[in-house]
Amino acid sequence: MFPDHPLTKTLAVIAAKQNSLCISGFDGTVTRLGGGSSPPFPFPTADDYYTYASSHKKLRDVRVPCLAVSSADDPVVHEIPIEEARHNGWVALAVTKYGGHLGWFEKGMNGPRRWISRPVLEWLSAVGRELGRKETSR
């Protein structure tokens, strides 16, 4: 272990707050420091990290087929980049009414199960067929 590393120093903070720490508190304590390589990490605050990581600015640069799935009731993502996705033909944005943050559960025979993989695989299959058609028409 590296005792002087900023992430090591946050372990006591996280342990003390483990029952009351929200996602923004975790990001402000941990993710902004060690969520990736340097640069750009560390960030001064969680909000600085959120600004950097926001897809609003990144979607315009996508140049491969991209499916982005978001939920209208996501408690973490407050603004879905609908306009940004609309202006890039490489991006397909699907917004569900429910799903929370990375949820998308339905009742299954053995309890809750995720349903998101089915439409994602269908989309991948459709994109693969379309790309295959374009390749054979050359």
Side-chain angles (χ1 to χ4, degrees):
M1 188 154 244
F2 302 96
D4 293 329
H5 192 279
L7 282 177
T8 305
K9 294 176 181 180
T10 66
L11 293 177
V13 174
I14 295 300
K17 295 181 179 183
Q18 68 181 355
N19 293 327
S20 63
L21 193 62
C22 63
I23 189 71
S24 61
F26 181 86
D27 287 342
T29 306
V30 177
T31 306
R32 72 174 187 86
L33 297 173
S37 61
S38 181
F41 288 88
F43 288 94
T45 68
D47 285 336
D48 292 315
Y49 161 71
Y50 295 148
T51 298
Y52 166 79
S54 172
S55 61
H56 288 75
K57 292 182 264 178
K58 309 261 191 274
L59 283 178
R60 68 176 163 240
D61 297 327
V62 172
R63 293 296 177 262
V64 296
C66 174
L67 173 63
V69 183
S70 195
S71 174
D73 71 341
D74 190 322
V76 176
V77 177
H78 300 287
E79 292 181 41
I80 300 171
I82 294 171
E83 285 303 312
E84 291 82 352
R86 183 176 286 143
H87 295 292
N88 185 336
W90 291 102
V91 177
L93 175 61
V95 180
T96 63
K97 188 172 182 178
Y98 302 107
H101 188 69
L102 306 176
W104 300 290
F105 287 96
E106 65 185 355
K107 290 182 182 178
M109 289 178 33
N110 299 320
R113 69 179 194 86
R114 290 185 186 270
W115 60 262
I116 193 69
S117 58
R118 188 173 46 247
V120 169
L121 290 172
E122 289 172 1
W123 181 83
L124 287 169
S125 179
V127 168
R129 283 192 305 274
E130 182 64 23
L131 291 174
R133 274 189 224 132
K134 288 180 179 178
E135 191 65 29
T136 57
S137 66
R138 284 185 178 179

